[in-house]
Amino acid sequence: MKKSLGPKTYFFPLPVLLIATYDSQGHANVMNAAWGGIHDTNQVALCLSTDHKTTANIILKNEFTISFATSETVKESDYFGLVSGNSCADKIAKAGMHTIKSENVDAPVIDEYPLSLECRCVSVNSDDQGTTFVIADIVNILADEAILDEKGKIDMNKYHPIAYNPSNHTYQEMGKKVGNAFKDGLELK
Amino acid sequence: MKKSLGPKTYFFPLPVLLIATYDSQGHANVMNAAWGGIHDTNQVALCLSTDHKTTANIILKNEFTISFATSETVKESDYFGLVSGNSCADKIAKAGMHTIKSENVDAPVIDEYPLSLECRCVSVNSDDQGTTFVIADIVNILADEAILDEKGKIDMNKYHPIAYNPSNHTYQEMGKKVGNAFKDGLELK
């Protein structure tokens, strides 16, 4: 029996994105966001409130990095969503994290996150409802050698991204492998 | 030490979306897609190849449903990404699944998926590279009573959406809870 829940912003899984930017003074900031995904080949899309410090920084610099929250960084990642860069200028340091300057874009890379996308905007559009929509090229990906296998590929035994669950406001680990894409369905062909 | 992987369409986690539509004859079709996410409050965004049967159906009907692949439906969900609706008219039946007509949109709901978003397009734009970008309102969500708790909320012990891992082409379960959003970070405030 199906039950109607009404319209809701539910989606499974949602990512836990850490968007890192520089302001006009070169100060690094980061925010936590769940509304984003792949827009096209090597491109991401983000939906951000226009009043965020991050949004102002993206409009200014046109570049940013995205890291993905992990099981090891739950507390820090959640904190980055609780505190505004408009009121707390050193939130990254307060969380005990550190930044390095990206070599490819004018944005910080937060060292403690094992994987970061270096992004350059293709379009940034703010509507009159207070929302800004960003589409950006992924110009490079930086990975900690600690999460790579001997072939240089990401080893999911060493990398533990988490998802945001919009129905109960929890974070869940990307857990055990349950199948192989482009393969398991062949059985039904 | 950080290593550059170059530009790649990596994102963690990516969803495993089953997009269901009717064609001009009222035949139900479904495809598997990972490039999509929340666009704004009660809205989704999708990136689809224009040559998919699903894309033609969305352009025709302006409405569709999205379900999320689960641990229980890995094989069927993968199959829906391996076979085109252009060449196999009855892929849903071949996978042993069944559709009911949505009461809110002119699109099928695949009964075997526990959660489905009923969607109506706000914009559908096809570029000259063979890609179509869809933004749609979530007009209602349908949930199996079997995944709801006594208060009518989704019980994640009963609902097991999966993620697509673009780095190794596997499916991973949304696993154990690792934190509470808007809460765990308070400790760092």
Side-chain angles (χ1 to χ4, degrees):
Chain A
M1 192 56 196
K2 303 272 185 194
K3 198 180 158 185
S4 285
L5 304 184
K8 287 179 191 292
T9 310
Y10 279 4
F11 204 86
F12 297 92
L14 280 177
V16 183
L17 310 174
L18 289 311
I19 306 165
T21 53
Y22 285 129
D23 69 9
S24 60
Q25 310 295 309
H27 291 140
N29 188 37
V30 62
M31 71 172 282
N32 173 324
W35 293 3
I38 290 297
H39 178 72
D40 202 348
T41 307
N42 295 348
Q43 287 189 332
V44 293
L46 298 174
C47 171
L48 304 170
S49 290
T50 304
D51 60 3
H52 285 307
K53 174 85 170 170
T54 295
T55 312
N57 287 353
I58 289 176
I59 290 169
L60 181 76
K61 295 285 189 177
N62 221 42
E63 300 184 329
F64 58 91
T65 67
I66 294 178
S67 301
F68 305 101
T70 60
S71 299
E72 294 82 1
T73 57
V74 171
K75 201 190 299 178
E76 295 84 353
S77 303
D78 191 53
Y79 169 74
F80 293 146
L82 287 169
V83 176
S84 167
N86 285 319
S87 58
C88 180
D90 62 344
K91 60 198 267 198
I92 298 174
K94 266 195 95 168
M97 289 189 164
H98 306 85
T99 59
I100 50 179
K101 196 191 165 315
S102 161
E103 290 179 14
N104 295 294
V105 294
D106 189 8
V109 177
I110 302 183
D111 201 27
E112 283 78 4
Y113 289 104
L115 195 84
S116 301
L117 315 183
E118 298 173 296
C119 300
R120 181 172 300 128
C121 295
V122 173
S123 69
V124 181
N125 292 300
S126 302
D127 69 13
D128 54 11
Q129 312 287 307
T131 307
T132 296
F133 302 94
V134 177
I135 296 171
D137 285 328
I138 302 166
V139 297
N140 185 47
I141 295 182
L142 284 178
D144 276 351
E145 286 188 337
I147 65 163
L148 301 176
D149 64 19
E150 65 281 1
K151 289 180 184 159
K153 291 214 151 207
I154 298 167
D155 181 343
M156 297 307 292
N157 293 313
K158 300 171 178 171
Y159 184 51
H160 311 111
I162 63 174
Y164 170 59
N165 183 323
S167 74
N168 62 9
H169 309 297
T170 60
Y171 297 117
Q172 287 180 258
E173 211 171 41
M174 268 182 80
K176 71 171 196 283
K177 174 182 162 184
V178 293
N180 291 297
F182 313 110
K183 192 170 169 194
D184 288 358
L186 291 172
E187 216 180 291
L188 290 169
K189 253 189 132 168
Chain B
M1 193 57 195
K2 304 272 184 194
K3 197 179 160 185
S4 285
L5 304 183
K8 287 179 190 293
T9 311
Y10 280 2
F11 204 86
F12 297 93
L14 280 177
V16 184
L17 310 174
L18 290 311
I19 306 166
T21 53
Y22 285 129
D23 69 10
S24 60
Q25 311 294 309
H27 291 139
N29 187 38
V30 64
M31 72 172 281
N32 172 325
W35 292 2
I38 290 298
H39 178 73
D40 201 349
T41 308
N42 296 346
Q43 287 188 332
V44 293
L46 299 174
C47 171
L48 304 170
S49 289
T50 304
D51 60 2
H52 285 307
K53 174 85 170 171
T54 295
T55 312
N57 288 353
I58 289 175
I59 290 169
L60 181 76
K61 295 285 190 177
N62 222 41
E63 299 183 330
F64 57 91
T65 67
I66 294 178
S67 300
F68 305 100
T70 60
S71 299
E72 295 82 1
T73 57
V74 170
K75 199 190 300 177
E76 295 84 350
S77 303
D78 190 55
Y79 170 74
F80 292 146
L82 287 169
V83 176
S84 166
N86 286 319
S87 57
C88 179
D90 61 345
K91 61 198 265 200
I92 298 173
K94 266 194 98 169
M97 289 191 164
H98 306 85
T99 60
I100 50 178
K101 194 190 167 315
S102 160
E103 289 178 15
N104 296 294
V105 293
D106 190 9
V109 177
I110 302 182
D111 201 26
E112 282 78 4
Y113 289 106
L115 195 83
S116 301
L117 315 183
E118 298 173 297
C119 300
R120 181 174 301 129
C121 296
V122 172
S123 69
V124 182
N125 292 301
S126 302
D127 69 14
D128 55 10
Q129 312 288 306
T131 307
T132 297
F133 302 94
V134 176
I135 296 171
D137 286 327
I138 302 167
V139 298
N140 185 48
I141 296 182
L142 285 177
D144 277 350
E145 286 189 336
I147 65 163
L148 301 177
D149 65 19
E150 64 281 1
K151 290 178 184 163
K153 291 215 151 205
I154 298 167
D155 181 343
M156 296 307 292
N157 293 311
K158 301 171 178 171
Y159 183 50
H160 311 111
I162 63 173
Y164 170 59
N165 184 323
S167 75
N168 62 9
H169 308 297
T170 60
Y171 297 118
Q172 285 181 261
E173 211 171 42
M174 269 181 78
K176 71 170 196 285
K177 175 182 160 182
V178 292
N180 292 296
F182 314 111
K183 192 172 169 192
D184 288 357
L186 290 173
E187 216 179 292
L188 291 169
K189 254 188 132 169

